[in-house]
Amino acid sequence: MLSLLPENVAFSLANPASPKMFSLRPQIAALSLAIPGHRRRLLARRRPQRPSSVVSMLTSESPNESPAFAPPNLSFPVLVNGCTGKMGRAVAEAAISSGLQLVPVSFSSLEKPGRTLKVGNTEIQIHGPSERESVLSSVFHEFPDVIVVDYTVPDAVNVNADLYCKLGIPFLMGTTGGDRQMLYKTVQDANVYAVISPQMGKQVVAFLAAMDIMADQFPGAFSGYTLEVMESHQASKLDTSGTAKAVISCFQKLGVTFDMKQIKQIRDPKKQLEMVGVPEEHLSGHAFHMYHLTSPDETVSFEFQHNVCGRSIYAEGTIDAAIFLFKKVQSKSGQRIYDMIDVLREGNMR
C-alpha cells in the first residue's frame, strides 16, 4: 500500500512517548499547529516544475520539439472554461505544451465585451454569460471532437454541466462544489461522456484509492480513535477541500466518528506561513492536508499528510484525463461517466 503514496505524502506511526518517527521522505521542519498537543511534521518539498511554454496556434504547425507529455500523433481541440483563473490558465498552458489544440475561447461570469487573454501565443476571447450557449454551440460545430475542461467556480458547476449536456459536449469537471448528486444525474440523463473529479492530481488520487481499499478491507480498524483534520489552501478557494472530505469518509468507514464541520480550514496567508509552513511563493496555490489520529488512551497516534505546492500536479493530471476521455469518445465506449480512478487504471499516463 505504501508504494501508492505520492512523494509528498507522509505515512507515519508514532508513539507519543517516543520522538522517533517513520516517514517515506526526510522531514525538514516540525511545526505545532492549532491542534493541541501534537507535533506536525513537514516533508522535504521538491519545487514543482511549471509546464513548458512551448505553444502553437490552432492554425499553425506543431512545434519542432516533441510534445511534453501527449502520445505521438494525438491531438484534439480542448476548450478550457475558466482560463481567467489560475488553475484554468495552468491547464491551458499544459494543453498547449502537450501538443493539444487550445480553442481560443473561454467564458466568464461577468459581461465584459471584447475581453481577451493571452496564453502563450494563443489569444483567447472571453465571453460573458449571455453568449455562452451560442458561442459554445458554434465551437462544437467547428470542432466536433472538442473536449471541454471546466475550472470555474462552485456556483457555476451545475449551470455549466447543464449547458454541456444540452449541447452533447464531452467534458471534464475539475471544479469542486455544486450539487454533486444533481451533476451526476444531469450527465447520466443526457448520456454525455464526462470525467468528474474534485481531485485531478494523479498521485493524490492514488493515495485516496489506497485509503478506500484500507477502509473496505479493514472496517472498524480505528474504532475509538479521535481524528483531527487541517487543510490549508490559497485564500481564493472558497469551499472545503473535496479531497479532505473523501479521506475523512474513509476514516469514518474505519470506525472514526468525525463531523465535517470539525475540519480546520486555513485560508489566512499569515497563518499559512507561520503555522503551516507553506513557502511564501506558493501562498497563491497550494494544498497542505494533515490527518491526525489518536488512540483512546493517547498512547498511539497516526499521521497522514500530503503537501502540494503549485498547480502542475493538477494540470498534468487534467491533460491525462482529457486524453483518456477523448479516447473513450472516439471508441464509443459504453460507459459514459468516469473519474480519476478510471484514468489511473487505464495506465497510459505521463
Coordinates of all heavy atoms in Angstrom, one line a residue, residues 55-138:
V55 N 4.3 26.7 -27.4 CA 2.9 27.0 -27.8 C 2.8 27.0 -29.3 O 3.8 27.1 -30.0 CB 2.5 28.4 -27.3 CG1 2.4 28.4 -25.8 CG2 3.4 29.5 -27.8
S56 N 1.6 26.8 -29.7 CA 1.3 26.9 -31.2 C -0.2 27.3 -31.3 O -1.0 26.9 -30.5 CB 1.5 25.6 -31.9 OG 0.7 24.6 -31.4
M57 N -0.5 28.1 -32.3 CA -1.9 28.5 -32.6 C -2.6 27.3 -33.3 O -1.9 26.4 -33.8 CB -1.9 29.7 -33.5 CG -1.3 30.9 -32.9 SD -2.2 31.6 -31.6 CE -3.6 32.2 -32.5
L58 N -3.9 27.3 -33.2 CA -4.6 26.2 -33.9 C -4.3 26.1 -35.3 O -4.3 25.0 -35.9 CB -6.1 26.4 -33.7 CG -6.7 26.3 -32.3 CD1 -8.2 26.5 -32.3 CD2 -6.4 24.9 -31.7
T59 N -4.0 27.2 -36.0 CA -3.8 27.2 -37.4 C -2.3 27.0 -37.8 O -2.0 27.0 -39.0 CB -4.3 28.5 -38.0 OG1 -3.6 29.6 -37.4 CG2 -5.8 28.6 -37.8
S60 N -1.4 26.9 -36.8 CA 0.0 26.9 -37.1 C 0.5 25.4 -37.0 O -0.2 24.5 -36.6 CB 0.8 27.7 -36.1 OG 0.7 27.2 -34.8
E61 N 1.7 25.2 -37.5 CA 2.3 23.8 -37.4 C 2.7 23.5 -36.0 O 2.9 24.4 -35.2 CB 3.5 23.8 -38.4 CG 3.1 23.9 -39.8 CD 4.4 23.8 -40.7 OE1 5.5 23.7 -40.1 OE2 4.2 23.8 -41.9
S62 N 2.8 22.3 -35.7 CA 3.2 21.8 -34.4 C 4.7 22.3 -34.2 O 5.5 22.3 -35.1 CB 3.1 20.3 -34.2 OG 1.8 19.9 -34.4
P63 N 5.1 22.6 -32.9 CA 6.5 23.0 -32.7 C 7.4 21.8 -33.0 O 7.0 20.7 -33.0 CB 6.4 23.3 -31.2 CG 5.2 22.6 -30.6 CD 4.2 22.6 -31.7
N64 N 8.7 22.2 -33.2 CA 9.7 21.2 -33.6 C 9.9 20.2 -32.4 O 10.2 19.0 -32.6 CB 11.0 21.9 -33.9 CG 10.9 22.6 -35.2 OD1 10.1 22.3 -36.1 ND2 11.6 23.7 -35.4
E65 N 9.8 20.7 -31.2 CA 10.1 19.9 -30.0 C 8.9 18.8 -29.9 O 7.8 19.1 -30.3 CB 10.1 20.7 -28.7 CG 11.3 21.6 -28.6 CD 11.0 23.0 -29.1 OE1 10.0 23.1 -30.0 OE2 11.6 23.9 -28.7
S66 N 9.3 17.7 -29.4 CA 8.2 16.7 -29.1 C 7.3 17.2 -28.1 O 7.8 17.9 -27.1 CB 8.8 15.4 -28.7 OG 9.7 14.8 -29.7
P67 N 6.0 16.9 -28.1 CA 5.1 17.4 -27.1 C 5.6 16.9 -25.7 O 6.2 15.8 -25.6 CB 3.8 16.7 -27.4 CG 3.9 16.5 -28.9 CD 5.3 16.2 -29.2
A68 N 5.4 17.7 -24.7 CA 5.9 17.4 -23.3 C 5.4 16.1 -22.8 O 6.1 15.3 -22.2 CB 5.5 18.5 -22.4
F69 N 4.1 15.8 -23.1 CA 3.6 14.5 -22.5 C 2.4 13.9 -23.2 O 1.8 13.0 -22.7 CB 3.2 14.7 -21.0 CG 2.6 16.0 -20.7 CD1 1.3 16.3 -21.1 CD2 3.3 17.0 -20.0 CE1 0.7 17.5 -20.8 CE2 2.7 18.2 -19.8 CZ 1.4 18.5 -20.1
A70 N 2.0 14.4 -24.4 CA 0.9 13.7 -25.1 C 1.5 12.6 -26.0 O 2.6 12.7 -26.5 CB 0.2 14.8 -26.0
P71 N 0.7 11.5 -26.2 CA 1.2 10.5 -27.0 C 1.5 11.0 -28.4 O 0.8 11.9 -28.9 CB 0.0 9.5 -27.0 CG -0.7 9.8 -25.7 CD -0.6 11.3 -25.5
P72 N 2.4 10.4 -29.1 CA 2.7 10.8 -30.5 C 1.5 10.8 -31.4 O 0.7 9.9 -31.3 CB 3.8 9.8 -31.0 CG 4.3 9.2 -29.7 CD 3.2 9.2 -28.7
N73 N 1.4 11.9 -32.2 CA 0.3 12.0 -33.2 C -1.1 12.1 -32.7 O -2.1 12.0 -33.4 CB 0.4 10.8 -34.2 CG 1.7 10.6 -34.9 OD1 2.4 11.6 -35.3 ND2 2.2 9.4 -35.0
L74 N -1.2 12.3 -31.4 CA -2.5 12.5 -30.8 C -2.7 14.0 -30.5 O -2.0 14.6 -29.7 CB -2.7 11.7 -29.5 CG -4.0 11.9 -28.8 CD1 -5.2 11.5 -29.7 CD2 -4.1 11.1 -27.5
S75 N -3.7 14.6 -31.2 CA -4.0 16.0 -31.0 C -5.5 16.2 -31.2 O -6.0 15.7 -32.2 CB -3.2 16.9 -31.9 OG -3.4 18.3 -31.6
F76 N -6.1 16.9 -30.4 CA -7.5 17.2 -30.5 C -7.8 18.6 -29.8 O -7.0 19.0 -29.0 CB -8.4 16.1 -29.9 CG -8.0 15.8 -28.4 CD1 -8.7 16.5 -27.4 CD2 -7.1 14.9 -28.1 CE1 -8.4 16.2 -26.1 CE2 -6.8 14.6 -26.8 CZ -7.4 15.3 -25.8
P77 N -8.9 19.2 -30.1 CA -9.2 20.5 -29.5 C -9.7 20.4 -28.1 O -10.5 19.6 -27.7 CB -10.3 21.1 -30.5 CG -10.9 19.9 -31.1 CD -9.8 18.8 -31.2
V78 N -9.2 21.3 -27.3 CA -9.6 21.4 -25.9 C -10.0 22.9 -25.6 O -9.3 23.8 -25.9 CB -8.4 21.1 -24.9 CG1 -8.8 21.3 -23.5 CG2 -8.0 19.6 -25.1
L79 N -11.2 23.0 -25.0 CA -11.7 24.3 -24.6 C -11.6 24.4 -23.1 O -12.2 23.5 -22.4 CB -13.1 24.6 -25.1 CG -13.7 26.0 -24.8 CD1 -14.8 26.3 -25.8 CD2 -14.2 26.1 -23.4
V80 N -10.8 25.3 -22.5 CA -10.7 25.4 -21.1 C -11.6 26.5 -20.6 O -11.4 27.7 -20.9 CB -9.2 25.7 -20.6 CG1 -9.2 25.8 -19.1 CG2 -8.3 24.6 -21.2
N81 N -12.7 26.2 -19.9 CA -13.6 27.1 -19.4 C -13.1 27.5 -18.0 O -13.1 26.7 -17.1 CB -15.0 26.6 -19.3 CG -16.0 27.6 -18.9 OD1 -15.7 28.8 -18.9 ND2 -17.3 27.2 -18.7
G82 N -12.7 28.8 -17.8 CA -12.1 29.2 -16.6 C -10.7 29.7 -16.7 O -9.9 29.7 -15.8
C83 N -10.3 30.0 -18.0 CA -8.9 30.5 -18.2 C -8.5 31.7 -17.5 O -7.3 32.0 -17.3 CB -8.7 30.8 -19.7 SG -8.4 29.3 -20.7
T84 N -9.5 32.5 -17.0 CA -9.2 33.7 -16.3 C -8.7 33.4 -14.9 O -8.2 34.3 -14.2 CB -10.4 34.6 -16.2 OG1 -11.5 33.9 -15.6 CG2 -10.8 35.2 -17.6
G85 N -8.9 32.2 -14.4 CA -8.4 31.8 -13.1 C -7.1 31.1 -13.2 O -6.7 30.7 -14.3
K86 N -6.4 31.0 -12.1 CA -5.0 30.5 -12.2 C -5.0 29.0 -12.5 O -4.1 28.5 -13.2 CB -4.3 30.7 -10.8 CG -4.1 32.2 -10.5 CD -3.4 32.4 -9.2 CE -3.1 33.9 -9.0 NZ -2.5 34.2 -7.7
M87 N -6.0 28.2 -12.0 CA -6.0 26.8 -12.3 C -6.3 26.6 -13.8 O -5.7 25.8 -14.5 CB -7.0 26.1 -11.5 CG -7.0 24.6 -11.6 SD -5.4 23.8 -11.0 CE -5.0 22.9 -12.5
G88 N -7.3 27.3 -14.3 CA -7.7 27.2 -15.7 C -6.5 27.6 -16.6 O -6.3 26.9 -17.6
R89 N -5.8 28.6 -16.3 CA -4.7 29.1 -17.1 C -3.6 28.0 -17.1 O -2.9 27.7 -18.1 CB -4.1 30.4 -16.6 CG -3.0 31.0 -17.5 CD -2.4 32.2 -16.9 NE -1.4 32.8 -17.9 CZ -1.7 33.7 -18.8 NH1 -2.9 34.2 -18.9 NH2 -0.8 34.1 -19.6
A90 N -3.3 27.4 -15.9 CA -2.3 26.3 -15.8 C -2.7 25.2 -16.7 O -1.8 24.6 -17.4 CB -2.1 25.9 -14.4
V91 N -3.9 24.8 -16.8 CA -4.4 23.7 -17.7 C -4.2 24.1 -19.1 O -3.8 23.3 -20.0 CB -5.8 23.3 -17.3 CG1 -6.4 22.3 -18.4 CG2 -5.9 22.7 -15.9
A92 N -4.6 25.4 -19.5 CA -4.4 25.8 -20.8 C -3.0 25.8 -21.3 O -2.7 25.3 -22.4 CB -5.0 27.3 -21.0
E93 N -2.1 26.2 -20.4 CA -0.6 26.1 -20.7 C -0.2 24.7 -20.9 O 0.6 24.3 -21.8 CB 0.2 26.8 -19.6 CG 0.0 28.3 -19.6 CD 0.7 28.9 -18.4 OE1 1.1 28.2 -17.5 OE2 0.8 30.2 -18.3
A94 N -0.7 23.8 -20.0 CA -0.3 22.4 -20.1 C -0.9 21.7 -21.4 O -0.3 20.9 -22.0 CB -0.9 21.6 -18.9
A95 N -2.1 22.2 -21.8 CA -2.7 21.6 -23.1 C -1.8 22.0 -24.3 O -1.6 21.2 -25.1 CB -4.1 22.2 -23.2
I96 N -1.4 23.2 -24.3 CA -0.5 23.7 -25.4 C 0.8 22.9 -25.4 O 1.2 22.4 -26.5 CB -0.3 25.2 -25.4 CG1 -1.6 26.0 -25.6 CG2 0.7 25.6 -26.4 CD1 -1.5 27.4 -25.4
S97 N 1.4 22.9 -24.3 CA 2.7 22.2 -24.2 C 2.7 20.7 -24.5 O 3.6 20.1 -24.9 CB 3.4 22.5 -22.9 OG 2.9 21.7 -21.9
S98 N 1.5 20.1 -24.3 CA 1.3 18.7 -24.6 C 1.0 18.4 -26.1 O 1.0 17.3 -26.5 CB 0.1 18.1 -23.8 OG -1.1 18.6 -24.3
G99 N 0.8 19.5 -26.9 CA 0.6 19.3 -28.3 C -0.9 19.2 -28.6 O -1.3 19.0 -29.8
L100 N -1.8 19.5 -27.6 CA -3.2 19.6 -27.9 C -3.5 20.9 -28.5 O -2.8 21.9 -28.4 CB -4.0 19.3 -26.6 CG -3.7 17.9 -25.9 CD1 -4.7 17.8 -24.7 CD2 -3.8 16.8 -26.9
Q101 N -4.7 21.0 -29.1 CA -5.1 22.3 -29.7 C -6.0 23.1 -28.7 O -7.1 22.6 -28.3 CB -6.0 22.0 -31.0 CG -5.2 21.2 -32.0 CD -6.1 20.7 -33.1 OE1 -7.3 20.6 -33.0 NE2 -5.5 20.5 -34.3
L102 N -5.5 24.2 -28.3 CA -6.3 25.1 -27.4 C -7.3 25.9 -28.1 O -6.9 26.8 -28.9 CB -5.3 25.9 -26.5 CG -6.0 26.8 -25.5 CD1 -6.7 26.0 -24.5 CD2 -4.9 27.7 -24.8
V103 N -8.5 25.7 -27.9 CA -9.6 26.5 -28.6 C -9.5 27.9 -28.0 O -9.5 28.1 -26.8 CB -11.0 25.9 -28.4 CG1 -12.1 26.8 -29.0 CG2 -11.1 24.5 -29.0
P104 N -9.4 29.0 -28.8 CA -9.2 30.3 -28.3 C -10.5 31.0 -27.8 O -10.8 32.1 -28.2 CB -8.6 31.0 -29.6 CG -9.2 30.3 -30.7 CD -9.3 28.9 -30.3
V105 N -11.2 30.2 -27.0 CA -12.5 30.7 -26.4 C -12.6 30.3 -25.0 O -12.2 29.1 -24.6 CB -13.7 30.1 -27.2 CG1 -15.0 30.4 -26.5 CG2 -13.7 30.7 -28.6
S106 N -13.1 31.1 -24.1 CA -13.4 30.8 -22.7 C -14.5 31.6 -22.3 O -15.0 32.5 -23.0 CB -12.2 30.9 -21.8 OG -12.4 30.3 -20.6
F107 N -15.0 31.4 -21.0 CA -16.2 32.1 -20.6 C -16.0 32.7 -19.2 O -15.1 32.2 -18.4 CB -17.4 31.2 -20.5 CG -17.7 30.6 -21.9 CD1 -17.2 29.3 -22.2 CD2 -18.5 31.3 -22.8 CE1 -17.5 28.8 -23.5 CE2 -18.7 30.7 -24.1 CZ -18.3 29.5 -24.4
S108 N -16.7 33.8 -18.9 CA -16.6 34.5 -17.7 C -18.0 34.7 -17.1 O -19.0 34.7 -17.8 CB -15.9 35.8 -17.9 OG -16.0 36.6 -16.7
S109 N -18.0 34.8 -15.7 CA -19.3 35.1 -15.1 C -19.7 36.5 -15.2 O -20.8 36.9 -14.8 CB -19.2 34.7 -13.6 OG -18.2 35.4 -13.0
L110 N -18.8 37.4 -15.8 CA -19.1 38.8 -15.9 C -19.2 39.2 -17.4 O -18.6 38.6 -18.2 CB -18.0 39.6 -15.3 CG -17.7 39.4 -13.8 CD1 -16.5 40.2 -13.3 CD2 -18.9 39.7 -13.0
E111 N -20.1 40.1 -17.6 CA -20.2 40.6 -19.0 C -19.2 41.7 -19.3 O -19.3 42.8 -18.8 CB -21.6 41.2 -19.2 CG -22.7 40.2 -19.1 CD -22.8 39.2 -20.3 OE1 -22.0 39.4 -21.3 OE2 -23.7 38.3 -20.3
K112 N -18.1 41.4 -20.0 CA -17.1 42.3 -20.3 C -16.8 42.2 -21.8 O -15.8 41.4 -22.2 CB -15.8 42.2 -19.5 CG -16.1 42.5 -18.0 CD -14.7 42.5 -17.2 CE -14.9 42.9 -15.8 NZ -13.6 42.9 -15.0
P113 N -17.5 42.8 -22.7 CA -17.4 42.6 -24.1 C -15.9 42.9 -24.6 O -15.3 43.9 -24.1 CB -18.4 43.6 -24.7 CG -19.4 43.8 -23.7 CD -18.6 43.7 -22.4
G114 N -15.4 42.1 -25.5 CA -14.1 42.3 -26.1 C -12.9 42.0 -25.2 O -11.8 42.2 -25.6
R115 N -13.2 41.3 -24.1 CA -12.0 41.0 -23.3 C -11.3 39.8 -23.9 O -11.9 38.8 -24.4 CB -12.6 40.6 -21.9 CG -11.4 40.3 -20.9 CD -12.0 39.9 -19.5 NE -11.0 39.6 -18.6 CZ -11.2 39.0 -17.4 NH1 -12.4 38.8 -17.0 NH2 -10.2 38.8 -16.6
T116 N -9.9 39.9 -23.8 CA -9.1 38.8 -24.3 C -8.1 38.4 -23.2 O -7.8 39.2 -22.3 CB -8.4 39.2 -25.6 OG1 -7.5 40.3 -25.3 CG2 -9.4 39.6 -26.7
L117 N -7.5 37.2 -23.4 CA -6.5 36.7 -22.5 C -5.5 35.9 -23.4 O -5.8 35.1 -24.2 CB -7.1 35.8 -21.4 CG -6.1 35.1 -20.5 CD1 -5.4 36.1 -19.6 CD2 -6.8 34.0 -19.7
K118 N -4.2 36.2 -23.2 CA -3.2 35.6 -24.0 C -2.5 34.5 -23.2 O -2.0 34.7 -22.1 CB -2.1 36.6 -24.5 CG -1.2 36.0 -25.6 CD -0.4 37.1 -26.2 CE 0.4 36.6 -27.4 NZ 1.2 37.6 -28.0
V119 N -2.5 33.3 -23.7 CA -1.9 32.1 -23.2 C -0.9 31.6 -24.2 O -1.2 31.1 -25.2 CB -2.9 31.0 -22.8 CG1 -2.1 29.8 -22.2 CG2 -3.9 31.5 -21.8
G120 N 0.4 31.8 -23.9 CA 1.4 31.6 -24.9 C 1.2 32.5 -26.1 O 1.1 33.7 -25.9
N121 N 1.1 31.9 -27.3 CA 0.8 32.7 -28.5 C -0.7 32.7 -28.9 O -1.0 33.2 -29.9 CB 1.6 32.2 -29.7 CG 3.1 32.4 -29.5 OD1 3.5 33.4 -28.8 ND2 3.9 31.6 -30.1
T122 N -1.5 32.1 -28.0 CA -2.9 32.0 -28.3 C -3.7 33.1 -27.6 O -3.6 33.3 -26.4 CB -3.5 30.6 -27.8 OG1 -2.7 29.6 -28.5 CG2 -4.9 30.5 -28.2
E123 N -4.4 33.9 -28.4 CA -5.3 34.9 -27.9 C -6.7 34.4 -27.7 O -7.4 34.0 -28.6 CB -5.4 36.1 -28.9 CG -5.9 37.4 -28.4 CD -4.8 38.2 -27.6 OE1 -3.6 37.9 -27.9 OE2 -5.2 39.1 -26.8
I124 N -7.1 34.3 -26.4 CA -8.3 33.7 -26.1 C -9.4 34.8 -25.9 O -9.2 35.7 -25.1 CB -8.2 32.9 -24.8 CG1 -7.2 31.7 -25.0 CG2 -9.6 32.3 -24.3 CD1 -6.9 30.9 -23.8
Q125 N -10.5 34.6 -26.5 CA -11.6 35.5 -26.4 C -12.5 35.1 -25.2 O -12.9 34.0 -25.1 CB -12.5 35.5 -27.7 CG -11.8 36.0 -28.9 CD -11.6 37.5 -28.9 OE1 -12.3 38.3 -28.3 NE2 -10.4 37.9 -29.5
I126 N -12.7 36.0 -24.3 CA -13.5 35.8 -23.1 C -14.9 36.2 -23.3 O -15.2 37.4 -23.6 CB -12.9 36.4 -21.8 CG1 -11.4 36.1 -21.7 CG2 -13.7 36.0 -20.6 CD1 -11.1 34.6 -21.6
H127 N -15.9 35.4 -23.2 CA -17.3 35.7 -23.5 C -18.1 35.7 -22.2 O -17.8 34.9 -21.3 CB -17.9 34.7 -24.5 CG -17.3 34.8 -25.8 ND1 -17.7 35.6 -26.8 CD2 -16.3 34.0 -26.3 CE1 -16.9 35.5 -27.9 NE2 -16.1 34.5 -27.6
G128 N -19.1 36.5 -22.1 CA -19.9 36.6 -20.9 C -21.0 35.6 -20.9 O -21.2 34.9 -21.9
P129 N -21.8 35.6 -19.8 CA -22.9 34.6 -19.6 C -23.9 34.6 -20.8 O -24.4 33.6 -21.2 CB -23.5 35.0 -18.3 CG -22.5 35.7 -17.6 CD -21.7 36.4 -18.6
S130 N -24.3 35.8 -21.3 CA -25.3 35.9 -22.3 C -24.9 35.2 -23.6 O -25.7 34.9 -24.4 CB -25.7 37.4 -22.6 OG -24.5 38.1 -23.1
E131 N -23.6 35.0 -23.8 CA -23.1 34.5 -25.1 C -22.7 33.0 -25.0 O -22.4 32.4 -26.0 CB -21.8 35.2 -25.5 CG -22.0 36.7 -25.8 CD -20.7 37.4 -26.2 OE1 -19.8 37.5 -25.3 OE2 -20.6 37.8 -27.3
R132 N -22.8 32.5 -23.8 CA -22.3 31.1 -23.6 C -22.8 30.1 -24.5 O -22.1 29.3 -25.2 CB -22.6 30.6 -22.1 CG -21.8 31.4 -21.1 CD -22.0 30.7 -19.7 NE -23.4 30.3 -19.5 CZ -23.7 29.1 -19.0 NH1 -22.8 28.3 -18.7 NH2 -25.0 28.8 -18.8
E133 N -24.1 30.0 -24.6 CA -24.7 28.9 -25.4 C -24.5 29.0 -26.9 O -24.1 28.1 -27.5 CB -26.2 28.8 -25.1 CG -26.9 27.6 -25.8 CD -28.3 27.4 -25.4 OE1 -28.7 27.9 -24.3 OE2 -29.0 26.6 -26.1
S134 N -24.6 30.2 -27.4 CA -24.4 30.4 -28.8 C -23.0 30.2 -29.2 O -22.7 29.6 -30.3 CB -24.9 31.9 -29.2 OG -24.1 32.9 -28.6
V135 N -22.0 30.8 -28.4 CA -20.6 30.6 -28.7 C -20.2 29.2 -28.6 O -19.5 28.6 -29.5 CB -19.8 31.5 -27.8 CG1 -18.3 31.2 -28.0 CG2 -20.0 33.0 -28.1
L136 N -20.6 28.5 -27.5 CA -20.2 27.1 -27.3 C -20.8 26.2 -28.4 O -20.1 25.3 -28.9 CB -20.7 26.6 -25.9 CG -20.1 25.3 -25.5 CD1 -18.6 25.3 -25.5 CD2 -20.6 25.0 -24.1
S137 N -22.0 26.5 -28.8 CA -22.6 25.7 -29.9 C -21.8 25.9 -31.2 O -21.6 24.9 -32.0 CB -24.1 26.2 -30.2 OG -24.7 25.5 -31.2
S138 N -21.3 27.1 -31.5 CA -20.5 27.4 -32.7 C -19.2 26.7 -32.6 O -18.7 26.1 -33.6 CB -20.3 28.9 -32.8 OG -21.5 29.6 -33.0

